[in-house]
Amino acid sequence: IVMRGGSGALAHAVDVSPADGSYAPGGLALIHALASADATSRRVKADESVKSGRALVAVLDAMDRFARDERTQQWGAMALWATCRDNPRAKASLIRSSRLRSGKSPAAVLLAALEFHGEQSEPIAKACIGAMLCVATNEPEFQSELAAVGAPRRILETLETHRNMSFAGEFDALREWLRECAR
């Protein structure tokens, strides 16, 4: 599936999901699974739709369209985190794309998901924070975008709410930046 362009096809299917959003969570979960699995993650990250940012924008567009659906928010953020992890080309393409179909920025969509669902759902909070910090790692431009929408303060507030949430040191390099921007 992955070797024959399945990542891009899945992202496109999620992007054109029916108005009821019934396909989006399952498609996003499959993108996450393929981007996370040892056997397929390298191929997914090397897929042209991921490297160009098209698949990532499709994921964020689905999150924006179905903002009230918890499963779409969780799987969308997890798919974004998995495809951007150790993938500077994909992150750079996503940052360059800057605006989604709705005109919102990727940072604004991820922050909206965190604000709407993060307090009551630790899995969604972790997925959204993980996606934001993954893209922000070694990307000052995205860090500035997150700071402009007030994400650092909200991230720290959410981490305070969910005290047992852990990223096992993955984002330690961003700790000072978060604190500084949250002031």
Side-chain angles (χ1 to χ4, degrees):
I1 292 171
V2 174
M3 291 175 65
R4 298 200 182 266
S7 301
L10 275 169
H12 176 72
V14 165
D15 194 33
V16 298
S17 184
D20 67 358
S22 57
Y23 181 77
L28 293 168
L30 187 51
I31 292 170
H32 169 262
L34 293 171
S36 299
D38 290 338
T40 55
S41 68
R42 277 195 350 208
R43 294 226 186 245
V44 168
K45 291 174 184 180
D47 187 274
E48 189 54 39
S49 68
V50 173
K51 291 189 305 187
S52 70
R54 283 190 324 269
L56 307 175
V57 168
V59 167
L60 286 160
D61 275 332
M63 290 178 69
D64 190 32
R65 280 178 51 217
F66 308 114
R68 295 196 180 277
D69 184 70
E70 291 181 0
R71 296 172 311 140
T72 298
Q73 300 311 302
Q74 182 177 351
W75 287 115
M78 289 174 65
L80 189 68
W81 183 2
T83 53
C84 288
R85 181 182 279 140
D86 300 322
N87 196 348
R89 279 184 71 183
K91 291 188 332 180
S93 293
L94 176 63
I95 293 165
R96 270 196 320 273
S97 70
S98 73
R99 298 281 173 214
L100 306 177
R101 189 177 300 136
S102 66
K104 296 177 186 171
S105 70
V109 170
L110 289 166
L111 179 60
L114 180 62
E115 289 177 333
F116 193 75
H117 300 284
E119 193 170 309
Q120 64 271 24
S121 173
E122 186 171 329
I124 294 174
K126 185 171 185 172
C128 291
I129 292 170
M132 283 190 272
L133 295 181
C134 178
V135 177
T137 300
N138 299 320
E139 295 291 348
E141 188 176 340
F142 195 71
Q143 290 174 11
S144 296
E145 191 175 323
L146 287 173
V149 296
R153 178 183 309 276
R154 186 63 172 141
I155 289 169
L156 291 176
E157 289 170 355
T158 304
L159 291 172
E160 184 67 26
T161 300
H162 301 291
R163 291 180 179 263
N164 293 328
M165 189 184 306
S166 171
F167 294 97
E170 184 174 351
F171 306 117
D172 282 353
L174 294 173
R175 186 175 292 146
E176 275 307 309
W177 169 78
L178 279 171
R179 288 184 184 136
E180 186 177 305
C181 289
R183 290 187 192 143

